[in-house]
Amino acid sequence: MTTQAAPAAGSDKLDSGVLKVAGVVVLGAIMSILDITVVSVALPTFQREFNASYADVAWTMTAYTLALATVIPITGWAADRFGTKRLYLLSLVLFVGGSALCAVAWDIGPLIVFRALQGLGGGMLMPLGMTIMTRAAGPDRVGRVMAVLGVPMLLGPIGGPILGGWLVDAQSWHWIFLINVPIGIVAFVLSARILPKDQPQPSESFDFLGMLLLSPGLALFLFGVSSIPEKGTVAATRVLIPAIVGLVLLVAFVLHALRKQHALIDLGLFKNRNLTVSTVTLTLFTVAFMGAMLLFPSYFLQVRGESTLTAGLLLAPQGLGAMVTMPIAGRLTDKIGPGKLVLPGLVLIALGMAPFTMVTPESNYPLLLGALFVSGLGMGMTMMPIMSAALASLTHQQVARGSTMMNIIQQTAGSIGTAVMSVILTNQVLDSPEATAYSAVTQGRVQAGDVPREVLTAGQSSLAGAFGNTWLVAVVLLALCLVPALLLPRRRIEKAEGGTPDEALAVPVAMH
């Protein structure tokens, strides 16, 4: 076994050991994030294969999300108690095992259960990956490693529909799950050899009461929120009861955590100003941007009549834009502070989204693709610097809890953003009989020949207007992000008070 110590504080380069760790973590993150979106294009196939309703097959996505929310809260404690490497290997086993079971599912019920098992593994991959990379690189290079980890976080929603569409068309729906098996095996072998050897800390007592409040609270709240698009109203019983019970449990957890010394989630971290400001900024940003991203493929599919694969390819400029700025932003975050990057990044995203607020059925493709590229440039300058601002000033012992908390917030905000934008779009469509009729045709529920041509033409224009109005709401939310973003650090973030330069670098980069 050879062990490579992390470079001294202030070192500017990511050494080969850190890059190898980053490569392993990104491989796991790509599987986890792609699987959230790759299934979306297979929902119609599930309906046909299992003779199920759309509401039933949609649970193949919801079950995965709820499992993520349930397992993320315990990840920080478990990482401290058992070590990040062991837990990361276990999460890979759960994820790959769940993928293999999904591929052999014989009915929609078992598929939903197996998707939940997959989510238990996938939910731990991202927070554990952030913890491993942050510890390996040290506080002086958090921005750079966050930029590396940001690539799968950005490309997942773009590459997922493309990969899923191709696999379903060229092979069968089973392959959207089977493809994870060889990738997961490679990730497991590389993780076992490359990840730093575990150095678990003395175990704190596990907060069982906190887990009984937080995990079900998150799951019930997200279940209620996820049911809004299906029910079309917040007032539905299936929305209100789980959401209210979930909120009550979450409030009870907050009151419990404020009194307990070693709570499941350390709310004392919010005493750190950088983390608090970053959390507010990340929440608003995720609600606005992730909700808006959901609409891009739907516009190309429903309004422009493109195929699933073409719609996925049309989103590629956004990923390309982010790939241009993300490495640069990661490097500059460590040198000049995140505030100087996040503000112009938000402006670029808003500018890129502006043309979509005025879309029509004939909107110029070069203009829209250029706007997506500009939006991607802004994305590359935004999400990872915000995460870096939150984690860079934490001590070595706080990183696992901090990254776990940021993942919970991001997951919850993303679910809220998706539900909010879906409800706004749905209500816009329902307000227009022509748009409703045209939407029914595009979804295959009504034959085009059964609807008068003039109604289809008017409906197509109305549907485009509904998308534009929904994107306008997203732009307004992005503008609100500028307020907390103004408070982000505009200079290099110093280490947490009381920490030593070597503290955050205590975990070596080991290859064995």
Side-chain angles (χ1 to χ4, degrees), residues 118-188:
Q118 210 185 12
L120 292 177
M124 291 189 286
L125 287 174
M126 278 302 293
L128 284 172
M130 290 175 63
T131 301
I132 290 168
M133 288 178 62
T134 304
R135 288 179 175 177
D140 295 316
R141 302 175 297 174
V142 167
R144 291 199 179 190
V145 295
M146 286 297 111
V148 173
L149 194 56
V151 173
M153 293 181 70
L154 177 69
L155 297 184
I158 298 170
I162 297 174
L163 179 62
W166 178 76
L167 286 172
V168 171
D169 290 343
Q171 301 295 328
S172 69
W173 68 266
H174 305 83
W175 280 95
I176 63 176
F177 301 114
L178 284 175
I179 195 173
N180 289 325
V181 176
I183 297 175
I185 291 173
V186 171
F188 185 91

Side-chain angles (χ1 to χ4, degrees), residues 199-278:
Q199 296 181 358
Q201 304 297 317
S203 175
E204 300 167 356
S205 58
F206 182 60
D207 183 11
F208 281 104
L209 177 58
M211 184 190 70
L212 293 175
L213 293 173
L214 182 58
S215 291
L218 274 173
L220 285 170
F221 177 72
L222 291 180
F223 174 83
V225 169
S226 300
S227 300
I228 295 175
E230 179 187 340
K231 295 300 179 182
T233 174
V234 178
T237 302
R238 182 170 163 180
V239 174
L240 276 180
I241 292 180
I244 291 174
V245 173
L247 280 176
V248 169
L249 290 174
L250 292 175
V251 171
F253 170 77
V254 170
L255 296 175
H256 161 77
L258 290 174
R259 293 193 303 266
K260 186 170 177 62
Q261 186 175 5
H262 298 299
L264 192 63
I265 297 296
D266 184 6
L267 298 183
L269 292 177
F270 283 111
K271 295 176 183 178
N272 184 308
R273 179 184 178 277
N274 289 340
L275 184 136
T276 302
V277 171
S278 300

Side-chain angles (χ1 to χ4, degrees), residues 330-342:
R331 188 176 301 114
L332 292 178
T333 296
D334 296 328
K335 294 176 180 279
I336 65 175
K340 293 179 181 177
L341 296 166
V342 172

Side-chain angles (χ1 to χ4, degrees), residues 204-462:
E204 300 167 356
S205 58
F206 182 60
D207 183 11
F208 281 104
L209 177 58
M211 184 190 70
L212 293 175
L213 293 173
L214 182 58
S215 291
L218 274 173
L220 285 170
F221 177 72
L222 291 180
F223 174 83
V225 169
S226 300
S227 300
I228 295 175
E230 179 187 340
K231 295 300 179 182
T233 174
V234 178
T237 302
R238 182 170 163 180
V239 174
L240 276 180
I241 292 180
I244 291 174
V245 173
L247 280 176
V248 169
L249 290 174
L250 292 175
V251 171
F253 170 77
V254 170
L255 296 175
H256 161 77
L258 290 174
R259 293 193 303 266
K260 186 170 177 62
Q261 186 175 5
H262 298 299
L264 192 63
I265 297 296
D266 184 6
L267 298 183
L269 292 177
F270 283 111
K271 295 176 183 178
N272 184 308
R273 179 184 178 277
N274 289 340
L275 184 136
T276 302
V277 171
S278 300
T279 297
V280 175
T281 308
L282 180 68
T283 301
L284 284 173
F285 172 77
T286 305
V287 168
F289 189 77
M290 293 306 175
M293 279 188 69
L294 172 75
L295 304 181
F296 290 130
S298 298
Y299 166 76
F300 291 124
L301 288 167
Q302 297 181 33
V303 178
R304 306 305 289 267
E306 302 291 355
S307 69
T308 303
L309 181 57
T310 301
L313 291 171
L314 286 169
L315 299 177
Q318 191 173 53
L320 294 174
M323 290 175 70
V324 170
T325 54
M326 195 171 283
I328 300 171
R331 188 176 301 114
L332 292 178
T333 296
D334 296 328
K335 294 176 180 279
I336 65 175
K340 293 179 181 177
L341 296 166
V342 172
L343 287 171
L346 289 172
V347 171
L348 283 174
I349 294 174
L351 289 174
M353 209 173 287
F356 284 91
T357 65
M358 301 174 283
V359 288
T360 69
E362 295 83 27
S363 290
N364 183 270
Y365 266 3
L367 172 64
L368 296 183
L369 298 183
L372 284 172
F373 181 76
V374 171
S375 177
L377 291 174
M379 174 62 184
M381 299 169 60
T382 306
M383 180 172 284
M384 285 303 102
I386 294 174
M387 301 288 273
S388 298
L391 299 179
S393 56
L394 299 181
T395 65
H396 174 72
Q397 287 80 7
Q398 293 173 328
V399 167
R401 300 298 178 91
S403 62
T404 297
M405 185 166 63
M406 295 299 286
N407 273 274
I408 292 173
I409 292 166
Q410 187 179 25
Q411 182 66 44
T412 304
S415 298
I416 292 172
T418 298
V420 167
M421 296 303 168
S422 296
V423 169
I424 293 172
L425 178 63
T426 300
N427 288 338
Q428 293 272 324
V429 173
L430 292 176
D431 288 342
S432 168
E434 295 85 0
T436 302
Y438 181 79
S439 181
V441 171
T442 61
Q443 294 172 16
R445 292 185 283 114
V446 176
Q447 295 296 319
D450 296 336
V451 181
R453 185 174 182 82
E454 59 271 17
V455 173
L456 287 178
T457 302
Q460 188 179 23
S461 296
S462 297

Side-chain angles (χ1 to χ4, degrees), residues 18-34 88 92 125-126 128-130 132-133 144-153 155 183 187 191 195:
V18 174
L19 289 174
K20 289 178 180 177
V21 170
V24 169
V25 169
V26 165
L27 192 60
I30 286 175
M31 285 195 306
S32 173
I33 295 171
L34 274 180
Y88 192 80
L92 284 172
L125 287 174
M126 278 302 293
L128 284 172
M130 290 175 63
I132 290 168
M133 288 178 62
R144 291 199 179 190
V145 295
M146 286 297 111
V148 173
L149 194 56
V151 173
M153 293 181 70
L155 297 184
I183 297 175
S191 299
L195 291 186

